[in-house]
Amino acid sequence: MKASDSASTSTSLISEAKNNSLSARATLVTGMPLRGCIDAQSTEQGPFGSADFSAWARERIVATWLWIGLVTYRMQVLMGWLLPGIPLVMAAYGDGQLVREIRKYSFVAQSPIRHSLGVRVLWTVLVGLAAWMVVPLPLPSLLPPLLIIAIAYALWLWVSNLQKRL
């Protein structure tokens, strides 16, 4: 074999590899052509029958993984904000309980309107927090601490306006 033959062979292999066919790439890597190999792209069919459905399924899998990554990231952000948020919520609950105890022995009326407002705000904020976790939209980074502060305030409002006698 002459040097010019090997140079022309490698040039032809490189030009075939540019066509991105599986057999040309395997020939370029191994130096031996593949016999009886059918490239999946050349038949225009994927594993589920049509190329369109295969591309759609592939894109859905990628989108699902990206969504799982987003939910995981937002859970980590929320856990980072819960570190200072849990003592705040506990302090709000304790203060609300003390306000309730003080009002229990004084002639101050408990407000059922404020109590129901606290319950509604708490549930709204919790639903908003759950939606923030799963909605794949870019949301401001100040949303988690604001939601934690809103949870603390709603819990204080709820507990401080409970009935005097349970």
Side-chain angles (χ1 to χ4, degrees):
M1 184 188 252
K2 297 179 185 176
S4 63
D5 290 339
S6 66
S8 66
T9 305
S10 64
T11 305
S12 66
L13 289 176
I14 291 173
S15 65
E16 285 181 21
K18 289 180 182 176
N19 295 332
N20 280 336
S21 68
L22 179 64
S23 60
R25 281 183 277 155
T27 304
L28 181 62
V29 171
T30 61
M32 298 174 52
L34 287 176
R35 303 270 186 231
C37 180
I38 298 173
D39 191 7
Q41 297 296 328
S42 66
T43 61
E44 296 295 327
Q45 289 187 354
F48 298 114
S50 74
D52 294 335
F53 184 73
S54 294
W56 177 84
R58 201 173 331 118
E59 290 170 1
R60 292 303 98 209
I61 291 169
V62 169
T64 302
W65 277 110
L66 289 173
W67 181 73
I68 289 171
L70 177 72
V71 170
T72 304
Y73 170 74
R74 287 186 177 173
M75 283 176 55
Q76 292 171 351
V77 167
L78 184 63
M79 283 190 287
W81 279 108
L82 282 179
L83 186 63
I86 289 175
L88 176 69
V89 170
M90 289 173 58
Y93 177 80
D95 186 53
Q97 187 67 26
L98 289 174
V99 168
R100 179 179 171 268
E101 289 296 323
I102 291 169
R103 286 183 184 167
K104 192 188 294 186
Y105 296 106
S106 64
F107 293 109
V108 178
Q110 303 295 84
S111 174
I113 296 171
R114 286 184 183 175
H115 174 73
S116 65
L117 179 68
V119 172
R120 286 182 186 159
V121 168
L122 183 66
W123 281 111
T124 304
V125 169
L126 289 177
V127 167
L129 187 65
W132 172 77
M133 294 289 286
V134 297
V135 172
L137 295 174
L139 297 170
S141 61
L142 285 177
L143 195 62
L146 291 177
L147 289 175
I148 291 171
I149 290 170
I151 288 172
Y153 175 70
L155 189 63
W156 177 84
L157 195 60
W158 181 13
V159 172
S160 67
N161 288 295
L162 281 172
Q163 298 176 1
K164 287 185 179 184
R165 307 279 184 252
L166 290 179

